[in-house]
Amino acid sequence: MDRLVYIDGRFVPAAEASISVFDHGLLYGDGVFEGIRAYNGRVFRLDEHLKRLYNGAKAILLEIPLSLDEMREGVLETLRRNQLSDAYIRLVVTRGVGDLGLDPRKCHGGPTVFIIADAIELYPPEFYERGLELITVVTRRNLPEAINPAVKSLNYLNNILAKIEVTRAGLLEGLMLNHEGYVAEATGDNVFLYTGGRLVTPPTSVGILEGITRAAVIELARELGIPIVEERFARLSVYTSDECFLTGTAAEIIPVVMVDGRKIGEGVPGPITKQLMERFRALTMNEGVPIALAREPQGRPV
């Protein structure tokens, strides 16, 4: 079936979905977005994703023209219209149509909001069984003082340049360091190590996005009694760790078995990683906002 895309309160066939070439989201990456997952007829941590979206928009002085309830219903209705119970949702808010200058005050007609729902496979299934090989890329993570990683903006050129390095090396993912040489994140995922009997992940202060899946993994680790800390670490800690894995909405939890030619642990997904993968899958099957049950939106109907 031809997918339907939500654009500014309307549902249109994907082949007909379009935005203006003068939209500042296209011209300058001026806007925010969220990647969200639905599992088993439920949208996983929808409210957390929407909170991050609205916080990011506020940080860049972008006023979203929908209330939280309206946006929530827009996501759910997009899934319903496409008859999807398991899907990846891309929610985007741009500054809207303006002139060819930078000044956002020249944008008129209000922000553009669109929602896409479809299937996604970030990594081939076999890599969840055998694990990924990574390299450390030359491209450094943006300085938080320049572009705050807490804002999930449409400007992803930093990550794209790193991804180009990875793909030219014939791999699927790579590590990004911050300006001080500490591990920040992968090109699109958060990083975890299991080392010395504890789980370690970089703090947000090194310049990372505070991932929704990252937060879920921290919660699961605590429930399992696995000690977990957020602290800075360099590549040597990755090379000498017992286990390593990445987390993200699209990636979920995926093991890492080699970095820069160094085997991680035994070179296979470790027991802690596999335990967390199992617990995360169980969590996503049972937690979330039901797609089938509509909420009464407050204000303008979708």
Side-chain angles (χ1 to χ4, degrees):
M1 63 176 290
D2 189 13
R3 297 290 183 213
L4 294 175
V5 176
Y6 172 102
I7 301 183
D8 294 333
R10 301 179 299 113
F11 287 93
V12 299
E16 300 173 19
S18 63
I19 63 170
S20 169
V21 294
F22 288 93
D23 193 298
H24 276 213
L26 171 64
L27 291 175
Y28 299 113
D30 187 1
V32 290
F33 79 97
E34 282 292 321
I36 310 169
R37 287 290 284 265
Y39 300 91
N40 195 33
R42 295 174 178 270
V43 183
F44 185 65
R45 305 217 163 171
L46 176 56
D47 289 342
E48 287 87 338
H49 279 286
L50 293 181
K51 180 179 179 182
R52 187 169 67 181
L53 179 82
Y54 278 76
N55 284 345
K58 184 176 182 179
I60 65 170
L61 294 172
L62 173 59
E63 187 173 347
I64 297 177
L66 300 174
S67 69
L68 270 167
D69 280 344
E70 289 173 329
M71 189 70 83
R72 185 187 295 109
E73 179 59 20
V75 170
L76 297 175
E77 185 61 18
T78 302
L79 291 164
R80 295 187 202 110
R81 297 272 184 125
N82 288 288
Q83 300 177 32
L84 292 168
S85 59
D86 294 271
Y88 178 82
I89 304 110
R90 176 57 58 89
L91 171 52
V92 180
V93 183
T94 78
R95 186 76 65 178
V97 175
D99 62 14
L100 294 179
L102 287 172
D103 192 346
R105 296 174 302 175
K106 300 292 182 64
C107 293
H108 53 84
T112 301
V113 178
F114 61 90
I115 306 170
I116 304 167
D118 209 340
I120 190 172
E121 183 182 275
L122 188 61
Y123 303 115
E126 60 267 25
F127 286 96
Y128 290 87
E129 297 295 327
R130 70 176 194 232
L132 288 174
E133 178 183 351
L134 310 184
I135 58 168
T136 303
V137 299
V138 175
T139 302
R140 294 294 176 104
R141 194 71 179 94
N142 282 329
L143 279 167
E145 294 83 2
I147 299 179
N148 194 316
V151 178
K152 196 172 175 68
S153 81
L154 297 179
N155 182 347
Y156 250 52
L157 188 57
N158 182 227
N159 308 72
I160 291 168
L161 291 173
K163 180 66 82 173
I164 289 171
E165 291 185 54
V166 170
T167 57
R168 287 175 66 87
L171 299 176
L172 295 176
E173 192 51 277
L175 287 181
M176 299 184 73
L177 309 181
N178 74 354
H179 68 289
E180 297 177 300
Y182 290 105
V183 174
E185 56 189 11
T187 66
D189 302 316
N190 292 119
V191 181
F192 283 82
L193 305 180
Y194 183 70
T195 183
R198 61 181 191 159
L199 206 58
V200 185
T201 192
T204 55
S205 60
V206 302
I208 67 167
L209 177 71
E210 194 167 359
I212 305 298
T213 306
R214 174 183 180 271
V217 168
I218 290 172
E219 293 170 16
L220 290 174
R222 288 174 176 155
E223 290 174 8
L224 292 167
I226 302 169
I228 181 162
V229 295
E230 297 178 57
E231 66 182 25
R232 299 187 298 177
F233 56 84
R235 280 183 292 174
L236 179 62
S237 295
V238 181
Y239 300 156
T240 59
S241 64
D242 300 312
E243 301 181 35
C244 177
F245 61 86
L246 309 179
T247 67
T249 295
E252 302 174 303
I253 301 175
I254 187 162
V256 173
V257 295
M258 185 171 290
V259 178
D260 296 334
R262 281 85 164 176
K263 187 166 64 175
I264 304 301
E266 298 298 319
V268 295
I272 297 298
T273 302
K274 291 195 284 189
Q275 185 179 22
L276 287 167
M277 290 172 72
E278 290 173 6
R279 291 295 292 265
F280 182 74
R281 289 191 188 110
L283 180 67
T284 59
M285 288 295 104
N286 296 288
E287 180 186 308
V289 178
I291 297 169
L293 301 178
R295 292 192 183 191
E296 287 297 326
Q298 297 176 2
R300 182 166 61 86
V302 174

